[in-house]
Amino acid sequence: MNRRAAWGLVLIMIIPMWSPVGAAASSTSGAVVEDLKYRVDIWVLGDAARGRLTLKSLGSGRYQAELSGEPQGLLKFLSGERRDSYQTEMIYDHGRLRPVVYREESRRRGKHYLKEYRFDYSQKRLELWQLKERQGSLMLKWHTDLKEAIYDPLSAFYNSRLGLMGPIKDGETYHITGIPYPSPENIEVSLGRQTQEGRQVMVTLVNAAFEDKKGRVFILFNGEGAPVQAWTRMLGLGKIVGQLLPDSKSMKAGLPGIPSESKVPAGGD
């Protein structure tokens, strides 16, 4: 995972800044299932950025998750008004949300970057297509066999968010296999106890973007299973804290098109 994608994972874990970014909202139609809005403080910069994480139901067991953010004040200027977008199209299959296409897109100072990971389950193949601006088209850059379940940050988050990775149990740690590019990736998710304040979760991953190259993101989930606060430390940025805003809309039950036994974990085992 590159540095930009590492920022993205942190944002997924509720720190809306996948780098200081500003991304345009998707025009894809669909029923909005969840719309989470966040304020982020970076070191001494209060309200340094605003972030948004949405999940839409597209019908027939298809879903789209999208992450966007917008820097505020000085950070907007320092970032060169950078715009990033992260989007995953998923299908519900065999009890999981499986990614079909995962996109990372960035625009900054007139340059356009786009990566598209395509999951071909019929051919058991994962491909990375990257935009070549001079050619004006996407070109195949890398591929690997789909020998096991592989998740991008957004599909990993929502599978965990919905309890589709397995039962929610105090003290349990489970592992998620991320996209193995440019190197193999393993994400650890450790579950804390359910308390009156909610449940704290620690996400651990190895990446140079963090101060000790082993990042730990701490997330607090409320009784409805929505992440309401998260904090971590990143190289060059110090402590980062994200806080859910009151005008957010969180899921109250299972996703449309998913069997009723698949519910948002709302506390307890």
Side-chain angles (χ1 to χ4, degrees), residues 10 25 79 128 141 145 176 191 211 214 243:
V10 173
S79 70
L128 167 58
K141 181 176 181 179
D145 295 333
I176 300 173
L191 305 177
E211 292 184 341
K214 189 172 185 179
Q243 185 73 44

Side-chain angles (χ1 to χ4, degrees), residues 43-56:
W43 193 45
V44 296
L45 295 177
D47 201 6
R50 294 295 177 102
R52 193 168 191 172
L53 178 61
T54 61
L55 179 66
K56 294 181 179 180

